Amino acid sequence: MPIADDIDDVRARLAAARRPAALAGAGLSAESGVPTFRGAGGLWRRYRPEELASPAAFARDPKLVWEWYDWRRGLIAKTEPNEGHRALAEIEARFPEFWLITQNVDGLSRLAGSLRALELHGNIWRMRCTGCARTLENRQTPLPELPPACGNCGELLRPDIVWFGESLPPGVLDKAFIAARESDLFLVVGTAGVVEPAASLARLAKANGAFVVEINPDETALSEECDISLRGKSGETLPRLLD
Ligand code: OAD
């Protein structure tokens, strides 16, 4: 079916949905200028995740890990939400039970007005103390001292981000599972669908009867399991679902 017909179909399904939900990935923020992880120009093409985004990397060289996050914070600070973020905030305004499950740590969905955004992988503007476990928000960029230390106990602060090999924050993950299970229309936006448990949320939604729609310019690991794949950029495609 041509994409225009598919968009009409999904628009009608969204209008009739009772409890839509969405899973977002780095592609949602791509049009804001935030680099993705995989694919052309993706961060994991130039950097090795296990050297920068793992507990072992932080134990080995916290300054190097912080330099990388400080650089990304600088990039993200210059960006703004795009039409895709705004369309998801508009869906929330129309459907009070809507949940946006995002793998993104840039905070752009909240900035666009998504209050019901579940940040599965943390937030790059938050830090957590490796000693006293206190968390704090810090938007300073660049950071004056790397690695930063806790003002409370003096131990190292780390980005409040889920690294490879770590568990997801349990409260957030539980809410995401419930949102996926209870949704009747599940949008899979801008994610390669290869990182668990995020990817399995789409499968869970489908297994529980949701109609699953992918929005991504490229085929992904989840495409085959989606009922419809809208091949386009999220900043262009999502607003069209609300026309
Ligand atoms: P990836 O970088 O793996 O995938 C980005 C996806 O976005 C790809 O499928 C692209 O085709 C798609 N894409 C690119 N531009 C797009 C656009 N304008 N509109 C829609 N889609 C577009 O990102 P994620 O799947 O989010 O984890 O990666 C998952 C996790 O892996 C990340 O949260 C990160 C990473 O390691 C942590 O940092 C904890």
Side-chain angles (χ1 to χ4, degrees):
M1 207 185 337
I3 185 155
D5 294 349
D6 281 350
I7 286 194
D8 289 344
D9 182 358
V10 177
R11 187 188 296 117
R13 287 177 188 273
L14 177 62
R18 198 178 35 83
R19 239 178 206 213
L23 170 69
L28 175 64
S29 295
E31 287 154 271
S32 293
V34 182
T36 60
F37 294 92
R38 298 170 188 82
L43 292 171
W44 294 153
R45 292 231 164 166
R46 280 189 289 155
Y47 305 98
R48 285 160 56 85
E50 58 274 30
E51 278 172 15
L52 294 168
S54 74
F58 191 70
R60 197 164 47 232
D61 195 342
K63 186 158 190 265
L64 175 75
V65 172
W66 263 115
E67 279 168 355
W68 191 64
Y69 280 100
D70 198 35
W71 170 71
R72 282 179 58 206
R73 284 162 60 103
L75 284 185
I76 292 168
K78 295 194 191 81
T79 67
E80 288 181 359
N82 63 53
E83 292 305 316
H85 296 108
R86 280 192 273 276
L88 288 168
E90 174 59 26
I91 294 179
E92 178 181 310
R94 294 189 193 180
F95 298 88
E97 307 222 51
F98 175 76
W99 282 108
L100 168 60
I101 306 161
T102 182
Q103 298 167 85
N104 298 343
V105 298
D106 53 37
L108 290 176
S109 284
R110 283 190 187 268
L111 219 53
S114 286
L115 300 177
R116 290 164 65 90
L118 300 170
E119 293 178 324
L120 277 188
H121 292 166
N123 187 300
I124 203 161
W125 303 114
R126 245 181 5 243
M127 300 176 178
R128 188 167 85 234
C129 180
T130 57
C132 65
R134 131 184 127 108
T135 58
L136 62 142
E137 192 176 315
N138 176 314
R139 293 191 166 257
Q140 208 175 356
T141 169
L143 288 164
E145 197 193 335
L146 296 178
C150 176
N152 228 11
C153 70
E155 291 295 324
L156 277 186
L157 291 167
R158 58 164 282 178
D160 195 14
I161 283 183
V162 179
W163 283 331
F164 285 94
E166 293 186 316
S167 320
L168 275 61
V172 177
L173 185 61
D174 289 347
K175 280 189 187 165
F177 276 125
I178 294 170
R181 211 180 293 129
E182 294 188 347
S183 71
D184 52 355
L185 178 71
F186 195 78
L187 306 174
V188 182
V189 183
T191 179
V194 293
V195 171
E196 292 295 350
S200 54
L201 289 165
R203 296 192 184 100
L204 181 68
K206 190 167 169 66
N208 284 274
F211 190 85
V212 180
V213 178
E214 172 170 72
I215 297 168
N216 197 310
D218 295 319
E219 195 174 331
T220 75
L222 289 172
S223 298
E224 284 219 340
E225 293 163 71
C226 294
D227 294 294
I228 288 185
S229 288
L230 298 177
R231 290 275 165 255
K233 295 180 173 180
S234 46
E236 292 166 7
T237 311
L238 281 167
R240 291 180 65 191
L241 301 182
L242 293 167
D243 286 348

